[in-house]
Amino acid sequence: MENQAVSSHGEGHGHGSIVSYIVGFILSVILTVASFWSVLGHALSYSATIIALGVLAVLQIFVQVTFFLHVSAAPEQRTEVVSFLFSIFVALVICFGTLFVMYNVGHLMMSRPTI
């Protein structure tokens, strides 16, 4: 009897190699250090720091998704990409919906006359 682990992804959906994981880890560390440096180093103006953090965050998401979640634009991964995009959509709706509700509650509560 052979002991073979069968992945739930089926044949041909191998996970990343050790080199892929190491490259992803190194890129993640570099992006994290760059984020800390941009804030703690005070080398950039306030607005430039916010923009830099946004760009570094998007790059960090790309590195995580590519090297660790193994989501790519390959045709055989269409269902994974669609479910990933739907998850992002739901998270954005929750975040922006919460901000919208909190802003409106604060705005409406401040306009009340005091007795």
Side-chain angles (χ1 to χ4, degrees):
M1 285 187 140
E2 282 186 38
N3 252 348
Q4 289 183 345
V6 177
S7 171
S8 63
H9 301 297
E11 296 289 325
H13 283 284
H15 292 283
S17 65
I18 297 295
V19 173
S20 171
Y21 285 119
I22 291 172
V23 169
F25 176 74
I26 290 171
L27 288 174
S28 294
V29 168
I30 289 170
L31 291 169
T32 302
V33 168
S35 297
F36 274 103
W37 173 81
S38 69
V39 172
L40 297 177
H42 301 291
L44 304 170
S45 68
Y46 178 77
S47 57
T49 301
I50 298 296
I51 292 170
L53 286 177
V55 169
L56 290 170
V58 169
L59 290 173
Q60 183 79 266
I61 291 170
F62 178 74
V63 167
Q64 297 289 324
V65 167
T66 303
F67 288 99
F68 299 116
L69 294 178
H70 310 293
V71 175
S72 68
E76 58 270 358
Q77 284 194 342
R78 182 178 175 141
T79 56
E80 286 87 357
V81 171
V82 169
S83 64
F84 181 73
L85 292 175
F86 181 72
S87 299
I88 290 172
F89 171 74
V90 168
L92 289 174
V93 166
I94 290 171
C95 290
F96 287 112
T98 301
L99 291 173
F100 176 75
V101 167
M102 295 304 287
Y103 172 78
N104 284 326
V105 165
H107 182 69
L108 292 174
M109 293 299 288
M110 291 300 190
S111 63
R112 281 185 147 180
T114 58
I115 299 175

